[in-house]
Amino acid sequence: MGWKSLDDMDLAGKRVLVRVDINVPLKDGKVTDASRIERTTPTIRDIRAKGGSPILLAHFGRPKGKPVPEMSLSQLVPALEDAFGTEVIFVERPSREFIDAQAPDAVILVENTRFSPMEEANDPQMAQFLASLGDVYCNDAFSAAHRAHASTEGVAHLLPSCAGRLMAEELGALEKALGNPERPLTAVVGGAKVSTKLDLLSNLLDKTDYLVIGGGMANTFLAAQGVNVGTSLAEHDMADTARQILADADRKGCEIILPVDIAISPAFEAAESATYVDVSDCPDDQMILDAGPRTVEKIAEVITASKTLIMNGPLGVFELPPYHMATSAMLDCIAEQTGAGDLISVAGGGDTVAAINKAGHADDFSYISTAGGAFLEWMEGKTLPGVAALG
Ligand code: AMP
């Protein structure tokens, strides 16, 4: 593991800098979905229970290094107070004097860290300044851990540091899924393009027993094998890379599962019903928008034989009915196996979480990561600077 948790820290009488992800959606100044705030609550509660005073550091939106009033964290004070059940003191320009003047169990919120250009530059001066505000650093923002910024990485080197509850939960779940999984291990990778997920595919080839490839990515692989994909989204210039991946998988004992039947359509749009054909029968003037029922059956067999599954990306254009069929049917199978205690299932990424919510399976995975980019980089086998700095 290499990092400490809140349980390892003495926080009595300490000012604890907590990096959180409270980048929640706002409409007319009101928080429309407070989930991210709620998920930080255990960390805030436990710091106070151990006698510490949490000082929240967070970004909000992309202000690009200058103050933008619409991105002020002051707007989140009421939602934070609701979630934490206590007063939250907002401070635009914090100083150690100001912080020391607050009650020993005060919850303090510092203005958007990205209002300074020094945050994203990971400027040592900003890290030093942040460190001067507290006695201990706690990172609870896994979703920002792939960025080496002053509040996520720089400051961690300057104070005794630990992971917050949400960060520890994420890291624990991810370790179980890919670090030290029960086998067989299946990865499902879907989505639009191979080119954006090359690092992901190579890392997964080394680690998984089965690799299910779906979505636009599958078209690229099919085309590379000489299959006609008509007008489908496919990256024909990636053919050599796709063939290399297939050869590597063979050598490494990882079985790749590609569609054996497909839904075809003359246009990229929703339809009353889907037309399914064998994968070798895509007409020149049609496109592939989903995998078919025989492919789903094959994937279900693999899932049923697996002990662990990790998923990023849909199998088809799930936003356009009926082309959500393969993704939904696969999610039903993952939910059933997980519910029966036969599968550890982990998913992450914006589109993936949207597809899972849409299929009504938000509570049926062993773990759904709150992080998009950080989840993907972790799945790619990359070191996350915000996590490494806690070690
Ligand atoms: P990504 O962000 O790479 O995970 O890609 C997700 C997107 O891939 C979703 O918006 C899907 O609609 C899209 N997608 C999935 N399958 C296909 C396909 N066969 N053709 C075009 N786009 C697809």
Side-chain angles (χ1 to χ4, degrees):
M1 279 207 299
W3 42 268
K4 293 192 166 106
S5 84
L6 282 175
D7 299 325
D8 304 314
M9 311 302 279
D10 172 17
L11 303 181
K14 304 270 170 68
R15 302 288 178 182
V16 185
L17 297 172
V18 199
R19 180 55 162 96
V20 289
D21 178 3
I22 47 176
N23 208 358
V24 290
L26 267 190
K27 195 162 186 261
D28 303 327
K30 290 241 163 8
V31 176
T32 54
D33 176 1
S35 335
R36 279 189 160 155
I37 290 179
E38 279 151 20
R39 293 190 77 169
T40 67
T41 307
T43 296
I44 306 305
R45 181 196 62 212
D46 289 357
I47 289 172
R48 296 180 83 219
K50 291 180 71 126
S53 154
I55 304 165
L56 276 62
L57 304 175
H59 71 278
F60 191 47
R62 292 173 190 268
K64 305 219 164 82
K66 53 180 182 350
V68 178
E70 303 82 70
M71 296 180 196
S72 171
L73 280 173
S74 60
Q75 304 169 92
L76 302 191
V77 168
L80 292 169
E81 290 184 333
D82 270 359
F84 304 156
T86 188
E87 185 193 3
V88 171
I89 300 160
F90 173 76
V91 54
E92 195 181 337
R93 291 175 191 279
S95 66
R96 185 71 200 216
E97 294 68 44
F98 174 85
I99 283 165
D100 283 341
Q102 309 306 314
D105 64 344
V107 181
I108 301 165
L109 170 68
V110 175
E111 180 60 290
N112 197 338
T113 51
R114 289 192 189 162
F115 279 4
S116 163
M118 294 198 281
E119 162 73 329
E120 293 186 62
N122 199 6
D123 191 307
Q125 235 183 309
M126 173 145 173
Q128 282 288 353
F129 171 70
L130 292 175
S132 75
L133 300 176
D135 309 305
V136 172
Y137 174 73
C138 169
N139 193 343
D140 209 25
F142 176 78
S143 53
H146 57 315
R147 310 256 184 249
H149 293 169
S151 74
T152 62
E153 204 267 351
V155 63
H157 295 291
L158 305 175
L159 289 174
S161 297
C162 69
R165 296 296 185 213
L166 179 56
M167 171 77 97
E169 187 184 284
E170 291 261 4
L171 293 175
L174 300 187
E175 172 66 17
K176 230 171 155 183
L178 206 53
N180 190 16
E182 266 192 69
R183 292 188 179 273
L185 165 63
T186 293
V188 176
V189 182
K193 290 182 169 178
V194 173
S195 52
T196 55
K197 294 194 182 172
L198 268 184
D199 289 346
L200 179 61
L201 291 171
S202 3
N203 187 41
L204 292 175
L205 287 187
D206 286 330
K207 304 226 161 105
T208 60
D209 303 297
Y210 300 101
L211 178 55
V212 175
I213 300 180
M217 298 181 75
N219 302 341
T220 299
F221 280 89
L222 294 171
Q225 290 177 311
V227 174
N228 179 18
V229 297
T231 59
S232 300
L233 170 71
E235 293 169 288
H236 296 283
D237 56 338
M238 298 291 294
D240 284 342
T241 310
R243 281 190 289 266
Q244 187 62 51
I245 290 173
L246 293 169
D248 287 349
D250 220 23
R251 204 163 38 81
K252 292 177 173 170
C254 166
E255 186 181 336
I256 292 198
I257 291 106
L258 284 165
V260 291
D261 57 347
I262 49 177
I264 50 168
S265 164
F268 195 86
E269 59 191 23
E272 278 295 307
S273 64
T275 306
Y276 295 108
V277 297
D278 192 88
V279 72
S280 56
D281 289 338
C282 180
D284 288 342
D285 59 352
Q286 301 220 16
M287 59 180 72
I288 304 170
L289 294 184
D290 196 13
R294 283 198 291 119
T295 307
V296 169
E297 235 171 80
K298 166 81 188 157
I299 295 173
E301 267 169 40
V302 166
I303 293 173
T304 310
S306 300
K307 289 265 177 274
T308 309
L309 176 138
I310 175 155
M311 172 181 174
N312 177 269
L315 297 182
V317 187
F318 72 95
E319 302 96 329
L320 298 178
Y323 306 114
H324 63 291
M325 189 284 288
T327 306
S328 295
M330 177 182 73
L331 290 172
D332 290 345
C333 176
I334 296 172
E336 193 184 311
Q337 293 295 310
T338 307
D342 294 332
L343 185 71
I344 293 167
S345 53
V346 174
D351 278 320
T352 310
V353 177
I356 293 170
N357 290 341
K358 200 168 167 196
H361 287 308
D363 297 325
D364 301 337
F365 272 68
S366 312
Y367 195 75
I368 297 183
S369 175
T370 49
F375 179 79
L376 207 60
E377 288 201 21
W378 167 81
M379 241 178 123
E380 288 168 355
K382 294 187 177 145
T383 302
L384 305 179
V387 177
L390 297 177

